[in-house]
Amino acid sequence: MNPVKIQRPHCLGLLFCLFVSIGTCLGQSFTVSGYVTDAEPGERLYGAAIQEQQSSSGCVTNPYGFFSLTLSAGQRELNVSYVGYQKQIYRLRLAADTVLHIALKSDNTLEEVTVRARQADSPEAISGMKRIDMKDVRSLPGFLGEKDVMKSLTVLPGVSQGYEGSSGIYVRGGSPDQNLILLDGVPVYNVSHLFGFMSVFTPEALQHVDLYKGGFPARYGGRLSSVVDVHMKEGNMYKPHSSLVLGPVSSEFMHEGPVVNGKSSFLISGRRTLLDLFVTEGARLAQMNNDEKIIPGLNFYDTNAKFNFYINPKNRLYISLYKGGDRLFSEYSDRSEWTTGVFDENQTKVDLKWGNTLAALRWNSQVSPRIFVNTTLAAGAFQYGIHNRYSSLHTENKETDLNKATVDYQTRIATHSVQVLADWYLANGNRLSLGAEAGIHIFQPGKRHVLNSSGITLDDGNQEVRTIPLAVFVEDNFAFSNQVHLNAGLRYEGEFVNEHLFNQVSPRVNMNYRLTENWQFSASLATMFQPLHLLTNSSIGLPSDIWVPATRNIRPETSQTASIGIIHNFPGQLRWSGELYGKMMHDVVQYKAGHSFMDLAKDWEQMVYQGKGRAWGFENAFDYQDRQVKAWLYYTLAQNQRQFDELNNGNYFPYKFDRRHDLNVGFNYKLNEKVSFTTMWVFQSGQAANIASGDYPVMGEIAEDSAYDPVFGFELRGWQPIDLTPHYNAVRLTSYHHLDVEAIFTRQQKKSTREWRVGIFNVYARQNAYYYYPYVRKNGTRGYKQISILPFLPSISYRLTF
Amino acid sequence: MAIALCFILFACEKELKVDYPDEPSVPVLNVFFTPDSLWKARLVYSKMKTDTSYRPIKDAQLSIVGDDGSTTILHYTAEGYYQADIFPRAGVRYTIHALLADGTDLSGTSFAPEEPNLSVVSFNSAWSTYLFDADLMDYSVMPVYVNISDELATANLQFRFWNAFPKWGRDVNRYFLSSDSLVVLEQKGIPASVINALLPLTDQWQMSFYAFEAKLNNIPEWLNYSSKYENILRATMQTQPETDPRAFDWHKLSIFSLDGWLQNVGNNTSAVFGTCRQAGQANLLLSDDNLKWRMERNAPDERDQYWLEVRNCSPAYFRYTQDYMLQVSQRMNPYAEPVTVYSNITNGVGIFAGYNRQLIKLMDY
């Protein structure tokens, strides 16, 4: 029997196939994709850098921690890094599309903390963008020891607060309504607690905050001046963790942990003030036997919940919930007995309630190795209500006469939306994002119901309006090289209001050029569109502001912003960044003369002007950080103006919060692992005010002999002249400044960490004006008085994490 | 776990330090004119808030030129006032010039419209309660309907409600006792001592019956029979209603309207303003708790008069008056946007504006 003889042609053919196969494998490209997370608690990291050692190809993770890198087949070494975490090296043999889940360990050694120019395509390479981590928020001294996200933003150049204690922020000349504030993708329409001294964000429940002052990516829209994107923690996937904070104003509790280890997690937190327990109950006890009683009350609360479900390696589901509110109330009662059997009992109850309710369902899906999709269903609402009750009972010889009156007022805004965002990694260094949004806005600008003691009812106010917002956008993040990065996009957004469509196409461009390791330049242009307005002129943090939609009479607001910037790293740990910006705003609104939010239920369209705004500024930031010291100096020189045809003879005038100089100097010193100190000095030029500098007589026959405000009870007597204000907002109030210090004492134990914070807000008791009002001096001239409520304030608070 | 809380919060109040811009004083020219009043102007400088009085401008040359060819020169009197013994005419457009010593020339133009000539269609004492939405207060009101003719179909109107009460020492009527009628009084039994006391008061109009009472209250014969003698004396006298408004104290009362085109300004209740769109009827609500109380108890006071005032306003007057009322109305509201009062004076501030007024007596009560 003859053996099977392999013919030579067949051998050659087999060898050929083998070599071809090997050769094919060696020339092919495959995609490595996946997620980068914190090793514990498993939070996804945005902006982590992944770079392939041999080819130098790289990318950064998107906001959901996803990355995608296309590499040639073969042995590959991936360097994965993120600020504050230990660098990791992944070695793999790439022979097919591969999915990786990379967990980075936190790095507490400060050698790794270097101040350096950000990677060209990292999030913070965007001009005007800044990320704030919660540890940065906690390191700043706060009002009565309270750590607040919105307050921490005001430390940054280009961001200022309004009045003392206000939680509204003014970004590059804009007003508070021009900030898109998101909590896990849901718009928050009112962020104030406690008259604006605190915001609705509970620090223990948050992961980080991204602030965009300019260079807005096309995925964001609907506001002119900034985006404050607040991200909640996702919940620790591996072990339970809790924290408790007890402070003089509020206390909070947070608990997170796995539902199924490594697969799903949850987080719940709650915060409440304890003020009312002392103030209200103390007043009740003290006045228990009084005929006349005044019982005030004030409280606020926040609750957060987050659920995180790992469905499979390519799909993840998140649920975010928030509910919070404030209540301010006062009960007045008095009883007067005239003679036996004859007495009067009067009672007045004033009750103000306001709050937000938010919910979001987010689905992350990796459709293919290069396509990531995020779908978000969001719902949010803010409402404010006033409920006043008056009653008067007259009793005479057992016969009673009861009079009652009620005033109810409500305003509300709600949003329901769906957004789909797809990140498509076309090539290494080129990520194309496509998205679409649709939803519904519901506006109730103010509705009043009055029932007076005569039985007369009054129902007035504005009707509910529903609008439909729509948007589609495309955005390309393109790294031309390791030195040049471009983020360019186009956003089309529209709003249907009463069958009328307002719309705009908004181009966005942001370019970043790294000349050397130590020199970096940036430039950006952005057009923004805002189809809703906030009617506001109140000076304290009561939710008296009313959100209204654009209409045919009151058009949407638009803006164009341009900026150029430079970053330089000095030898050592000192870094300087400078940014020059200019902004034009169109169709901004302002209440007409003589009108205010007190015109609760009038037709709002008749109460406002529309005009223009312009702002420019030069922001400077000096940062220094080493093992023990962190210092900063932020200075902004800026000008901010408005123009309305009906005011100031149609000339530009200073905006109320035009503050020429804004300076923030801070110093944080870590003595050792247990003790650290922080001090911060804040300075802002005086705001502009429209206070009459003079007056002149009115024609006698129409002269009014008193000026009285029935709501606040302020009164001026005597013939009233005409106030003379030659130029609008020409008066400057005194500058605003204060010095805050804080000492932190930390004790690390086996299973817990305890922290005491002792601080003083406003060390030298500067009396910054919170509020001012007119009055008549003894010599008959008219002046103004200011009320300051935050002089020297010591505080102590306690934080326990376990 | 030990918890220590420290909370100190207190409010401080002090004078607000305001860095006023260095603005010079501005000349102020104020003129309201109407055909039933002589020309009168006031010329002063504005003052800073820290000053207590206005500096009058004494040496200016004021002239008013009408498009009817008339020229009126005003002469200085006192306290910044200038006047002329001439009445403006309705329908004539006037321009005022005030030339100051430093060469500044203030000017303004306006006219006085025709008299409104409205008529009250009806009013009744059916009192009801009106809830004013600006201050949410209840007001007792009675309705008054006023007819607006075609001539006023586009007029700017202002309505006010007044209570007029004679000033001390004056009366709603004037009284005249002729010397000839003393004989009649004597024949009717008035004592000679009373006749002698009345003699100095004869043959001249007296502002009040009190002028006679003051003379007679010291005479015992009069006091013993005062009610009988007073009736005789009153029957013998001539009377005529007092028409000089200066004889009365005028008090503004509250007025409202249910018509959409007539509105109060801010929380001010003393006037309603509106621009007519067509002839027809204006529905007004007049408020006076005192009047309501007396009507309910049928307790009139014959010296009390109630008047409805209508002003046909030039555009300048209309705008200035409303702006002023709105500015004052919101002056103590720290949240209201500031109001700039209209001025039609070039090179200065103030107002030169005409109006024409009609006073309609509603009742004595």
Side-chain angles (χ1 to χ4, degrees), chain A residues 757-777:
Chain A
R757 290 171 178 258
V758 179
I760 301 174
F761 182 87
N762 198 359
V763 171
Y764 53 82
R766 165 76 177 174
Q767 290 184 321
N768 293 306
Y770 174 73
Y771 170 83
Y772 62 88
Y773 64 92
Y775 83 109
V776 179
R777 300 188 185 96

Side-chain angles (χ1 to χ4, degrees), chain A residues 144 246-248 275 448 450 452-454 456 458 537 539-540 590-598 690 692-699 701-704 706-710 712 714 716 720-724 726-728 731-734 756 767 771-775 777 779 781-782 784-789 791 793 796 798, chain B residues 1-21 23 26 28 30-32 42 44 46-52 54 129-131 133-136 138 160 252 267-268 270 311 317 320-321 324-343 349-351 355:
Chain A
L144 285 173
L246 297 166
L275 283 175
R448 182 171 64 176
V450 179
N452 76 354
S453 54
S454 307
I456 297 174
L458 172 70
N537 60 3
S539 62
I540 58 175
Q590 176 167 311
Y591 273 111
K592 283 183 178 174
H595 289 281
S596 71
F597 73 96
M598 302 303 297
N690 210 36
S693 55
D695 60 56
Y696 61 94
V698 67
M699 283 304 297
E701 60 182 87
I702 68 164
E704 296 289 324
S706 67
Y708 174 69
D709 186 89
F712 297 96
F714 296 142
L716 279 176
Q720 301 296 311
I722 295 176
D723 283 340
L724 181 60
H727 304 288
Y728 205 86
V731 171
R732 290 283 167 172
L733 301 184
T734 52
W756 287 93
Q767 290 184 321
Y771 170 83
Y772 62 88
Y773 64 92
Y775 83 109
R777 300 188 185 96
N779 64 4
T781 58
R782 188 145 54 98
Y784 289 85
K785 279 195 177 171
Q786 72 172 52
I787 292 185
S788 311
I789 64 169
L793 284 178
I796 183 167
Y798 176 76
Chain B
M1 156 187 1
I3 303 166
L5 297 176
C6 179
F7 180 76
I8 299 172
L9 184 69
F10 55 94
C12 304
E13 190 182 62
K14 68 173 188 179
E15 179 86 16
L16 177 72
K17 194 177 164 197
V18 179
D19 189 16
Y20 289 110
E23 302 274 4
V26 177
V28 181
N30 281 341
V31 184
F32 276 166
R42 191 177 182 199
V44 296
S46 67
K47 66 172 179 63
M48 296 295 290
K49 284 293 179 192
T50 47
D51 297 334
T52 53
Y54 302 103
T129 304
Y130 173 73
L131 175 59
D133 64 357
D135 60 16
L136 297 183
D138 281 345
R160 285 185 186 261
K252 285 181 287 192
N267 59 18
N268 188 295
S270 64
R311 293 193 183 194
Y317 182 93
Y320 173 87
T321 314
Y324 170 71
M325 290 175 77
L326 184 61
Q327 188 187 86
V328 173
S329 163
Q330 299 299 318
R331 184 159 286 171
M332 301 310 292
N333 180 352
Y335 306 119
E337 290 297 321
V339 178
T340 300
V341 174
Y342 171 74
S343 168
V349 293
I351 190 70
Y355 67 94

Side-chain angles (χ1 to χ4, degrees), chain B residues 5-140:
Chain B
L5 297 176
C6 179
F7 180 76
I8 299 172
L9 184 69
F10 55 94
C12 304
E13 190 182 62
K14 68 173 188 179
E15 179 86 16
L16 177 72
K17 194 177 164 197
V18 179
D19 189 16
Y20 289 110
D22 196 14
E23 302 274 4
S25 291
V26 177
V28 181
L29 177 61
N30 281 341
V31 184
F32 276 166
F33 60 94
T34 176
D36 59 14
S37 297
L38 297 169
W39 281 110
K40 189 174 181 182
R42 191 177 182 199
L43 192 55
V44 296
Y45 282 107
S46 67
K47 66 172 179 63
M48 296 295 290
K49 284 293 179 192
T50 47
D51 297 334
T52 53
S53 61
Y54 302 103
R55 188 159 48 97
I57 301 173
K58 300 177 185 176
D59 49 2
Q61 296 170 35
L62 266 70
S63 61
I64 299 172
V65 178
D67 63 5
D68 59 353
S70 64
T71 300
T72 304
I73 305 295
L74 281 71
H75 305 282
Y76 185 77
T77 55
E79 301 292 327
Y81 286 97
Y82 294 73
Q83 58 188 51
D85 293 330
I86 295 172
F87 291 93
R89 289 172 53 199
V92 175
R93 184 167 290 275
Y94 293 100
T95 300
I96 187 169
H97 287 276
L99 182 62
L100 308 189
D102 62 5
T104 306
D105 184 10
L106 284 70
S107 62
T109 302
S110 184
F111 68 97
E114 298 297 332
E115 188 176 343
N117 280 329
L118 304 187
S119 56
V120 174
V121 176
S122 66
F123 75 93
N124 59 68
S125 55
W127 291 91
S128 59
T129 304
Y130 173 73
L131 175 59
F132 183 36
D133 64 357
D135 60 16
L136 297 183
M137 305 268 289
D138 281 345
Y139 292 84
S140 299

